[in-house]
Amino acid sequence: YLNISKLALAFAIIHSKPPGKSSKEYTEYLAKTVSEQDFGWKWKVEVLEAEVLRLRQELLLNRISPRFCLENRKQDTSAETLLSRESINPTSYSSQLEDSGCDVCNDSAFDSLGIASDFHQSEHNVNISKHWLERVPPLNFCHTSKEQSLTAPVQFLQCLLEIRKLSEGGILQADFSELENDSFTICNSVSQLLDGLTVFYNSPKFPAPSFLTEGVCVLISLITDTKLSNHVLKKCFKKMEEFKKNLIQIILRNKSVNRFQALHSVSQTLSLLGRNNILRNSLISLLLSEVRQFAEQLLQAHQVQSVYDITQYENIFLLCMILEQLLENETQESNISSSDYGGEEKIKFLKNLDQIILHLSDEFPLFSLYLWRVSVLLNSGQMQ
C-alpha cells in the first residue's frame, strides 16, 4: 500500500508540474513549501508552550509570595526598558579580547568575559532587597530569539532568589514548600537555563553578552543558596549532570585556534559548580574518568608510536586544573569524608597509574606531573 501511494504521488506531481520546470525541481519546491508550513506550526507550538510556562511561573511566584508579585506589577515600565537595554549593551571589556586569548595562567581571561567579577557583583546585588522590587519588570517569557529565550528562565529564577532574600530579612512572607508541589515549573525553568548556557558555550561570542553572564550568576547563586538548592538539585540533578558532561566535552572537543579564552570561562563555570558539595562529588568522578581515559589512550598511542590528538592533549590540562582545584577544596573541608568522593572512578584512576606515569614521563613530562599531583591529592584524602 505504501509503494502504491508513493507511485500515485509521483504521478500526481509529474502531471501537475508547471511548464518549464522539471519533476525534480517541482518536487523540491513542494517539499520546501511543506517544510515551511511545518516550521510555522512548530514555531506556534513553541510560542504557546512558552506562554504556558510563563503563566505557571507567575502562578508559582504568586503562591510562594503574593505580596512580591503584587508589588512587582506596580512598577514603572521604565524598569523594563532599562533591563532590555542592559541585555543589549554589554559592559565594557578589556582589550585582551582582541588578542588570541592564549594566556590562561591566571583569571584575567575569565574576568574579561565578565563572569567572575559579575558573579561577585551578583552576590552583592542579591543582598540589596528593596532595590530589586524597583527594577525587576513584570514577567515576560514569550520570546523567540536565542538570547531572549535565555533571559526568560533567568528572570524567573532571579525572582525566586530575591523572594528568598526578602523572606530571610523578614520583609516578605514566603512559602517555599510550594516548590515541592510544582516540580514541572522549576524543572523546565532550570532546564531552559542550562540548555541556553550550553548553546552559547558551544558558540561563544566576544565580548560575552551580559545575559550569558547573568545566566551563570543566577545558576551559581541558585545552587549555593541553602534553601533553594535542595529543591532544585532534587528535581534537576540529572539535568545538571548532563550540563556538566556537556561542558567537559566542550572543553575536550574545541579545536578552534583562539579557543583558550572561551574554554577558560567554561572551566571557571565548572569550578563554580563544584562549590556545591553534591555537584562536586559527581564532578570529581566525571573528571577522573575523562583524565584516566585520555591517559590510557595516550599511553597506547605512545607505545605503538601512533599519532594522538594534540588539540585534545592541550585541552586536557584545563580538566586537570579543575580536578586539582576541586580535590584541594575537598581535602580542606574536614566535615566531608574522603570516601564520599571519587568512589569507583577513584579506584580506577589510581590503578596502574604509576606505570602510566613511568612510561609517559619522558615524552609528556607536564601531563605526567599533573597525573602525579592528582594522585597525591587522592591518596592524601584517603589517609585523613
Side-chain angles (χ1 to χ4, degrees):
Y1 177 78
L2 182 60
N3 291 333
I4 293 174
S5 300
K6 290 180 178 179
L7 187 61
L9 177 60
F11 275 115
I13 292 175
I14 293 172
H15 283 300
S16 61
K17 71 179 181 67
K21 270 192 176 183
S22 66
S23 298
K24 180 181 179 181
E25 291 174 339
Y26 187 54
T27 302
E28 292 174 349
Y29 165 76
L30 292 176
K32 183 180 178 181
T33 303
V34 173
S35 64
E36 288 176 351
Q37 292 176 351
D38 289 342
F39 178 79
W41 280 109
K42 289 179 181 178
W43 181 82
K44 290 179 181 178
V45 169
E46 291 176 358
V47 170
L48 291 175
E49 288 178 344
E51 177 65 13
V52 170
L53 181 60
R54 180 189 68 81
L55 293 173
R56 295 190 66 137
Q57 288 169 333
E58 284 192 347
L59 180 60
L60 180 58
L61 290 176
N62 185 66
R63 287 175 175 173
I64 294 174
S65 180
R67 181 189 160 195
F68 178 87
C69 297
L70 182 63
E71 295 189 25
N72 196 20
R73 291 178 182 277
K74 291 180 179 179
Q75 300 168 86
D76 192 301
T77 55
S78 60
E80 186 171 5
T81 306
L82 175 62
L83 188 65
S84 63
R85 192 186 310 127
E86 289 177 352
S87 65
I88 294 173
N89 299 326
T91 56
S92 58
Y93 297 88
S94 68
S95 59
Q96 180 189 0
L97 292 169
E98 298 175 2
D99 65 15
S100 64
C102 293
D103 183 9
V104 296
C105 296
N106 52 45
D107 290 340
S108 59
F110 180 58
D111 290 337
S112 66
L113 290 178
I115 298 176
S117 57
D118 283 0
F119 170 66
H120 298 297
Q121 183 63 31
S122 174
E123 289 182 329
H124 172 70
N125 288 342
V126 165
N127 291 325
I128 306 176
S129 301
K130 293 186 178 180
H131 176 65
W132 185 273
L133 292 174
E134 300 173 5
R135 74 178 183 90
V136 176
L139 296 181
N140 182 15
F141 301 104
C142 193
H143 301 298
T144 55
S145 68
K146 292 191 306 180
E147 293 84 356
Q148 291 173 322
S149 64
L150 183 59
T151 61
V154 167
Q155 188 180 355
F156 167 68
L157 296 173
Q158 280 177 330
C159 290
L160 277 181
L161 287 167
E162 186 55 25
I163 291 175
R164 163 82 172 87
K165 289 297 179 181
L166 293 174
S167 63
E168 189 178 45
I171 301 174
L172 279 179
Q173 290 185 347
D175 181 13
F176 285 98
S177 64
E178 290 293 336
L179 292 176
E180 298 284 352
N181 303 326
D182 193 357
S183 59
F184 173 85
T185 301
I186 189 69
C187 284
N188 273 28
S189 301
V190 174
S191 295
Q192 278 190 356
L193 174 59
L194 297 179
D195 290 340
L197 291 175
T198 302
V199 168
F200 283 102
Y201 276 134
N202 269 309
S203 303
K205 297 178 181 179
F206 296 99
S210 59
F211 57 81
L212 178 60
T213 302
E214 191 78 6
V216 175
C217 294
V218 168
L219 177 62
I220 301 305
S221 298
L222 195 65
I223 66 171
T224 53
D225 187 277
T226 53
K227 288 188 177 180
L228 293 179
S229 60
N230 293 331
H231 294 285
V232 173
L233 292 178
K234 183 165 59 177
K235 298 175 177 63
C236 310
F237 183 76
K238 288 185 178 180
K239 188 68 179 181
M240 202 74 73
E241 289 295 289
E242 180 184 341
F243 178 63
K244 290 186 295 184
K245 291 178 182 178
N246 288 336
L247 294 187
I248 291 174
Q249 292 306 312
I250 288 173
I251 292 177
L252 286 176
R253 296 177 180 178
N254 195 309
K255 296 180 180 294
S256 62
V257 176
N258 294 328
R259 65 186 181 276
F260 296 104
Q261 191 176 36
L263 293 186
H264 191 55
S265 69
V266 179
S267 68
Q268 287 290 346
T269 300
L270 280 172
S271 298
L272 291 172
L273 290 175
R275 291 185 177 187
N276 182 279
N277 290 334
I278 299 176
L279 295 180
R280 183 194 306 165
N281 296 337
S282 59
L283 181 55
I284 287 175
S285 295
L286 289 173
L287 293 172
L288 284 174
S289 176
E290 292 292 342
V291 174
R292 174 184 59 81
Q293 291 178 35
F294 179 81
E296 292 173 351
Q297 293 170 5
L298 187 62
L299 175 61
Q300 184 178 5
H302 177 65
Q303 288 175 338
V304 300
Q305 296 297 308
S306 63
V307 295
Y308 63 94
D309 191 339
I310 184 63
T311 304
Q312 193 171 19
Y313 176 76
E314 294 172 346
N315 294 342
I316 199 69
F317 286 100
L318 283 173
L319 298 189
C320 292
M321 293 175 189
I322 301 169
L323 181 57
E324 185 177 7
Q325 179 185 353
L326 294 177
L327 289 174
E328 286 177 347
N329 294 339
E330 191 76 21
T331 54
Q332 290 172 2
E333 295 185 8
S334 58
N335 60 328
I336 303 295
S337 173
S338 61
S339 60
D340 289 338
Y341 68 89
E344 184 179 352
E345 285 301 332
K346 176 181 175 180
I347 298 174
K348 290 181 180 179
F349 184 88
L350 293 175
K351 184 180 180 181
N352 301 325
L353 182 63
D354 292 338
Q355 291 297 319
I356 294 176
I357 294 175
L358 178 64
H359 287 90
L360 295 180
S361 57
D362 290 338
E363 191 73 20
F364 308 99
L366 183 58
F367 181 59
S368 300
L369 177 61
Y370 267 103
L371 291 178
W372 175 79
R373 288 164 63 169
V374 169
S375 67
V376 168
L377 287 171
L378 288 173
N379 289 320
S380 64
Q382 190 174 10
M383 289 186 294
Q384 288 181 356

